[in-house]
Amino acid sequence: MNVLAKPADLEAAAPANVFVEEVKTVQHYTDRLFRFRMTRPASFRFRSGEFVMIGLMVDGKPIYRAYSIASPAWDEELEFFSIKVPDGPLTSHLQKIQPGDAVLMKKKPTGTLVNDALIPGKRVYMFSTGTGIAPFASLIRDPDTYEKFDQVILTHTCREVAELKYGEDLVQETLNDPLIGEFAKDKLVHYTSVTREDFPRQGRITDLIKSGKLFEDLGVPPLNPAVDRGMICGSMEMLKDTKELLEEAGLNEGANNKPAEFVVERAFVG
């Protein structure tokens, strides 16, 4: 397959009204996960938590997939956290990018995992599995999140311990950041669990909610629609099960045009 990844080649072949951006850094975490950072167009505006369409030219055609922007709205670069699918139409090629290569990006960001889609509350739970942590990587580095909530609880569940590394690095970077660290140090809580290996905390996040262990570990009361807000990003099964648990607790699903107690991102399902 012919994949165009060099800036000059991509610029010449790219469709109209699409950004061509240069890859600055690439970091591989496991044989299934990697992150990359790239240049940000001067005109590109987005809200922390939104996603955008990212792509490459493969055999003369652009191939795109929806990717949450993992960097916050104030960052001068754009960060993405990706799975590697061996036969994936896009990720089988995207995982091979190097600094100096280029990728396509459509110009319109969108998404429901934004602070504006939630009504004010005391604490916000960001429920994530796998690469579903990406939009929350943006939100926990945004000062607006800490202005809106007294406590920010980021949960991240993965199959294997090594897959937690991105989130662990992210939280450490956030706490040490000269801009965000002051906001995050007393408010940000990182809660991890693993489903397929030995780990101090094992199990799906839905099981930890149902059993009450999540709240017991955190030292907080069970979900209460008067004070708790939720954001959910992960697999289709996880979205469905977590949404049901939040609704059972009395929380209502919101959207950009109708803020409520929790929101779900469905753009990456299927």
Side-chain angles (χ1 to χ4, degrees), residues 11-43:
E11 288 277 6
N17 296 315
V18 174
F19 293 120
V20 175
E21 297 304 316
E22 184 181 343
V23 177
K24 305 303 285 183
T25 61
V26 181
Q27 182 176 359
H28 293 269
Y29 286 90
T30 70
D31 58 2
R32 294 181 64 245
L33 299 170
F34 73 106
R35 78 163 165 175
F36 62 97
R37 290 179 68 86
M38 68 185 201
T39 53
R40 175 177 178 172
S43 62

Side-chain angles (χ1 to χ4, degrees), residues 21-23 35 75 80 114 116 125 151 161 173 175 226 231 248-249 267:
E21 297 304 316
E22 184 181 343
V23 177
R35 78 163 165 175
D75 201 322
F80 299 93
V114 292
D116 293 346
Y125 288 89
Q151 194 171 30
V161 176
E173 287 169 16
L175 293 172
M231 293 178 158
E248 283 172 18

